């Protein structure tokens, strides 16, 4: 089916990663890779999250799910509109804190998105 990615069944390895079949990728890598991906940015309306698909050098299809300023802002607005006490996130260390202009812009946009 279109955009359905099957993961192999693997034993649970415990916190912090309950999905032992996946790996975490830095946001800067995602932003570079998405532009040359097979699909470009796709949007899942149910999850309110972007993802993309690419093939590796062996021809294996991969699917990468991530948050961007738009998806983060939707989640922050959801929390605010319902009077909830806060929002959690997976790993802010995956942002690029170097002094490169693009990295600074991407990181600033992600943190600003937390304030609806």
């Amino acid at each position: 089916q279109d955009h359905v990615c099957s993961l192999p069944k693997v034993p649970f390895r415990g916190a912090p990663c309950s999905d032992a079949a996946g790996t975490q990728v830095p946001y800067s890598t995602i932003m570079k890779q998405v532009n040359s991906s097979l699909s470009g940015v796709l949007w899942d309306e149910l999850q309110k999250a972007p993802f993309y698909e690419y093939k590796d050098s062996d021809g294996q299809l991969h699917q990468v799910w991530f948050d961007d300023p738009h998806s983060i802002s939707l989640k922050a607005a959801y929390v605010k509109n319902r009077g909830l006490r806060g929002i959690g996130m997976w790993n802010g260390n995956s942002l690029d804190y170097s002094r490169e202009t693009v990295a600074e812009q991407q990181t600033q946009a992600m943190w600003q998105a937390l304030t609806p």
Side-chain angles (χ1 to χ4, degrees):
Q1 297 176 5
D2 288 344
H3 312 300
V4 173
C5 184
S6 298
L7 295 175
K9 290 187 179 193
V10 293
F12 176 73
R13 292 189 291 185
C17 183
S18 63
D19 177 12
T23 57
Q24 184 170 299
V25 178
Y27 187 66
S28 59
T29 301
I30 290 170
M31 291 295 95
K32 290 174 186 170
Q33 192 177 47
V34 72
N35 293 327
S36 61
S37 69
L38 290 171
S39 63
V41 176
L42 300 169
W43 182 260
D44 183 277
E45 189 58 34
L46 180 63
Q47 301 296 323
K48 304 286 192 240
F51 68 101
Y52 66 93
E53 299 168 338
Y54 73 94
K55 283 189 180 178
D56 64 20
S57 58
D58 295 328
Q60 180 73 29
L61 184 65
H62 296 269
Q63 201 172 72
V64 179
W65 289 76
F66 60 99
D67 273 309
D68 63 6
H70 178 64
S71 64
I72 293 283
S73 66
L74 291 173
K75 293 168 187 172
Y78 181 91
V79 167
K80 183 177 181 180
N81 292 339
R82 283 158 183 78
L84 302 176
R85 293 185 146 201
I87 188 170
M89 56 192 271
W90 181 250
N91 193 342
N93 295 14
S94 290
L95 296 173
D96 185 347
Y97 293 99
S98 70
R99 297 286 184 212
E100 294 179 26
T101 303
V102 172
E104 286 182 334
Q105 291 169 347
Q106 289 173 348
T107 299
Q108 183 179 16
M110 288 291 274
W111 285 109
Q112 285 176 343
L114 287 169
T115 307

